[in-house]
Amino acid sequence: MFIKTYSSAVFGISATTIQVEVNIDIGINFHLVGLPDVAVRESHQRIKAAFRNNKLHFPGKEVTINLSPADIRKEGSVFDLPIAIGILAVTKQVKDTRLAELLLLGELSLDGSIQRTKGILAIALQAKAEGFKGLIVPIENAAEAAIVDGLDIFGVQNIQEVIDLLNGKGSLQKTPTIKPEEFEQLATQTALDFAEVKGQLHVKRAFEIAAAGAHNLILVGPPGAGKSMLAKRLPSILPPMSLNEALETTKIHSVAGKKRSTGIVTHRPFRKPHHTISDIGLIGGGSYPQPGEISLAHNGVLFLDELPEYKRHVLEVLRQPLEDRSVNISRARFSIDYPANFMLVAAMNPCPCGFLNHPEKACGCHPNAVQRYLQRVSGPLLDRIDMHIEVSPVKYTELNERSTAECSQEIRLRILAARKIQQERYAAQSGTHANAQMSRREVEQYCKLCTDGQNILQIAMKKLGLSARAYERILKVARTIADLDGATQIATAHISEAIQYRNLDRGH
């Protein structure tokens, strides 16, 4: 006897439908074929124990399971449930009338309960594209799968609930889909606020410019100046996530196995990896490929605190993703593209002790030690960071002020107005949504300077020894400053302010 069930395998951030073919014949063996890994091959023992503990009959015959297509490697324990239901269907313990229209996913425990799995959103999107009517998934994954409209999502706790559902018994209800208005309400809520930051008006101005144009920035200042505090509040002034951005981001987090109470990522990610992270941890990959921190920060912020403490080769792998906004992981057995459209915010001390140019504390570092410390961050990487900001310690008078600073919502309104200008400007451009993403041709088209502006920039190029990439960065930042002012042309004041944000350039 022969039956088919359907499941799915995740590779990168995409899913592929897997046919689980179950055949029973004369004999007493159990064969599992179709390029399974160790976890898949071990399903036999989990299924037998779950059957025994739920008083289900496991056939005492030759059982052959084929996972098709056979040329795709099957990994993990997600195939336990479709294999078990296939065996139950072929032995007439469950009805097979709905098996062709449903995907089944989940790991079986020995008592028959079903454990959560990774990549459910990618699987749900692929199932909808291929015309499946619904998914049977672990109860913990149901909210995530229900993000995809047009699918019947059944969250189950154990194998008996699956049997009752397929046999038309029980009262299992479909998981409701999140409504757009519910998502919008969640997306606009913020926990941290710029109103909590005392002083630092020039740094707040720089953050506003960075958020308005999606520019990368680096903060340089002594310990306790508020670099981390400011960086953590950047997502609160960025535009709220659109539903499409949320789906993209959630898919990546789903593949990485990140659990969310709402099922969908409603706020822009803020990732803060420790400086001991490896290059694979940062950009992704590994024997069983997983997205790295830069992909988990997709559509959000990647914060690298104490930048010179990161290993040099780890920082250098950032150069290509910062330009292309994606990362390609190529190995002998696979090649995967992960999206990596993030804002980079880095922070560092000005010297090893942290007190160089401090207004009150003396720096005890030798000039050579300071130079070696700064050179841990390469010139080519600094070139790719649009804005370099000096952060000074906050004075006591500013800390003791009782007046309320400008809140994140007020700043966000100005940023949204600037982003709207950019959306209209780049409406006909493919892949460009903000000023930081402009190509060289677009820079030439939209960043034209008057004669005075050209003269100011020429002087700065000579004095600072700026590279061609730094030249483009200045023009892009100036374009953003003009957009915040609502100006169609870049004025000399805009280009002058943009030049001030390149104070770390060292003649590269």
Side-chain angles (χ1 to χ4, degrees):
M1 297 182 65
F2 173 81
I3 203 80
K4 275 185 185 180
T5 61
Y6 294 88
S7 190
S8 191
V10 175
F11 189 73
I13 59 170
S14 300
T16 301
T17 299
I18 303 297
Q19 294 183 21
V20 180
E21 301 173 343
V22 182
N23 186 73
I24 291 184
D25 209 337
I26 298 172
I28 56 172
N29 290 323
F30 185 94
H31 303 289
L32 182 55
V33 297
L35 209 58
D37 73 349
V38 174
V40 181
R41 290 197 296 269
E42 290 174 345
S43 64
H44 176 210
Q45 303 302 326
R46 291 191 294 271
I47 292 169
K48 285 185 72 173
F51 277 27
R52 190 178 302 113
N53 291 323
N54 285 271
K55 296 180 172 57
L56 300 170
H57 172 63
F58 192 92
K61 297 183 178 181
E62 183 174 86
V63 180
T64 303
I65 312 293
N66 179 41
L67 305 178
S68 176
D71 60 338
I72 296 176
R73 185 171 178 79
K74 321 303 186 304
E75 299 171 351
S77 52
V78 69
F79 302 105
D80 287 5
L81 184 59
I83 291 173
I85 295 301
I87 294 172
L88 292 172
V90 82
T91 55
K92 305 299 182 182
Q93 297 177 74
V94 298
K95 296 178 181 178
D96 61 0
T97 52
R98 299 186 63 186
L99 294 181
E101 62 187 32
L102 296 171
L103 278 183
L104 297 92
L105 306 118
E107 173 189 334
L108 277 179
S109 291
L110 301 187
D111 63 353
S113 59
I114 300 173
Q115 306 301 314
R116 71 185 299 268
T117 188
K118 299 179 181 180
I120 288 293
L121 180 56
I123 291 168
L125 290 168
Q126 183 66 21
K128 181 179 179 181
E130 294 189 8
F132 285 92
K133 292 185 178 180
L135 274 72
I136 298 178
V137 300
I139 187 70
E140 293 182 72
N141 294 116
E144 181 183 321
I147 297 169
V148 181
D149 193 20
L151 286 175
D152 295 335
I153 306 300
F154 299 98
V156 293
Q157 299 184 48
N158 53 63
I159 193 170
Q160 192 59 55
E161 288 187 352
V162 183
I163 294 170
D164 291 342
L165 175 66
L166 294 174
N167 287 337
K169 301 176 182 179
S171 56
L172 191 65
Q173 300 296 315
K174 293 184 290 187
T175 304
T177 304
I178 186 170
K179 298 178 181 177
E181 55 269 22
E182 293 174 344
F183 169 77
E184 290 174 7
Q185 184 178 3
L186 290 169
T188 54
Q189 297 172 355
T190 56
L192 301 175
D193 200 293
F194 266 92
E196 301 160 352
V197 181
K198 299 288 187 179
Q200 304 290 19
L201 294 180
H202 73 290
V203 185
K204 290 181 182 178
R205 167 66 175 173
F207 269 81
E208 182 177 339
I209 295 168
H215 300 288
N216 303 317
L217 72 161
I218 183 169
L219 308 172
V220 184
K227 301 186 294 294
S228 297
M229 184 180 186
L230 286 156
K232 289 176 182 177
R233 282 154 180 76
L234 177 57
S236 70
I237 62 174
L238 290 171
M241 292 186 80
S242 67
L243 188 54
N244 285 337
E245 287 178 324
L247 286 172
E248 287 178 1
T249 307
T250 304
K251 187 192 291 190
I252 298 167
H253 284 239
S254 174
V255 168
K258 305 296 180 183
K259 190 177 179 182
R260 298 160 303 282
S261 58
T262 59
I264 188 171
V265 175
T266 55
H267 296 88
R268 296 193 180 276
F270 181 87
R271 304 295 301 182
K272 185 184 176 182
H274 193 261
H275 64 260
T276 57
I277 192 171
S278 66
D279 51 355
I280 289 178
L282 190 63
I283 68 167
S287 301
Y288 297 95
Q290 288 287 303
E293 288 292 333
I294 64 173
S295 295
L296 293 171
H298 181 60
N299 290 322
V301 177
L302 177 70
F303 179 46
L304 301 182
D305 200 7
E306 304 297 343
L307 188 67
E309 302 302 327
Y310 287 79
K311 299 181 184 71
R312 181 70 174 255
H313 72 276
V314 172
L315 292 180
E316 294 307 300
V317 300
L318 279 174
R319 287 158 59 174
Q320 179 262 331
L322 284 171
E323 289 291 315
D324 299 340
R325 303 187 182 276
S326 67
V327 59
N328 177 264
I329 309 296
S330 295
R331 300 290 185 269
R333 292 186 296 128
F334 62 83
S335 179
I336 296 174
D337 286 306
Y338 287 122
N341 183 16
F342 59 91
M343 276 185 65
L344 173 64
V345 180
M348 61 181 288
N349 296 329
C351 65
C353 76
F355 299 114
L356 183 68
N357 298 326
H358 195 283
E360 298 174 0
K361 299 181 180 180
C363 171
C365 301
H366 190 276
N368 290 340
V370 175
Q371 188 67 15
R372 285 195 302 271
Y373 180 77
L374 294 176
Q375 286 178 346
R376 292 183 187 177
V377 183
S378 69
L381 180 59
L382 282 177
D383 267 355
R384 287 166 170 81
I385 299 177
D386 302 359
M387 303 173 66
H388 309 161
I389 316 300
E390 287 190 14
V391 184
S392 302
V394 182
K395 297 178 182 178
Y396 172 77
T397 54
E398 293 176 326
L399 286 172
N400 200 40
E401 277 185 358
R402 298 298 179 187
S403 59
T404 305
E406 191 175 31
C407 70
S408 292
Q409 186 58 32
E410 294 173 358
I411 301 172
R412 177 183 270 179
L413 290 175
R414 295 195 295 270
I415 290 168
L416 287 173
R419 285 287 185 104
K420 185 178 180 181
I421 293 172
Q422 293 167 52
Q423 288 172 2
E424 293 173 355
R425 178 185 300 134
Y426 307 124
Q429 309 294 332
S430 175
T432 304
H433 307 287
N435 288 333
Q437 301 167 359
M438 280 191 286
S439 65
R440 179 161 296 182
R441 181 177 296 178
E442 289 166 342
V443 169
E444 292 175 356
Q445 182 178 355
Y446 299 117
C447 300
K448 296 176 181 177
L449 302 179
C450 62
T451 303
D452 290 342
Q454 291 175 358
N455 292 335
I456 291 172
L457 186 53
Q458 184 178 7
I459 293 170
M461 290 284 292
K462 289 180 178 179
K463 283 191 174 182
L464 296 176
L466 299 177
S467 68
R469 185 177 281 112
Y471 167 80
E472 278 194 4
R473 294 288 190 265
I474 291 173
L475 290 177
K476 291 177 181 180
V477 172
R479 179 68 267 173
T480 300
I481 298 170
D483 290 341
L484 283 167
D485 285 350
T488 55
Q489 299 295 323
I490 298 175
T492 53
H494 303 145
I495 198 72
S496 298
E497 184 177 359
I499 291 169
Q500 293 177 22
Y501 299 128
R502 298 299 306 184
N503 62 315
L504 281 184
D505 285 306
R506 300 169 297 192
H508 292 280

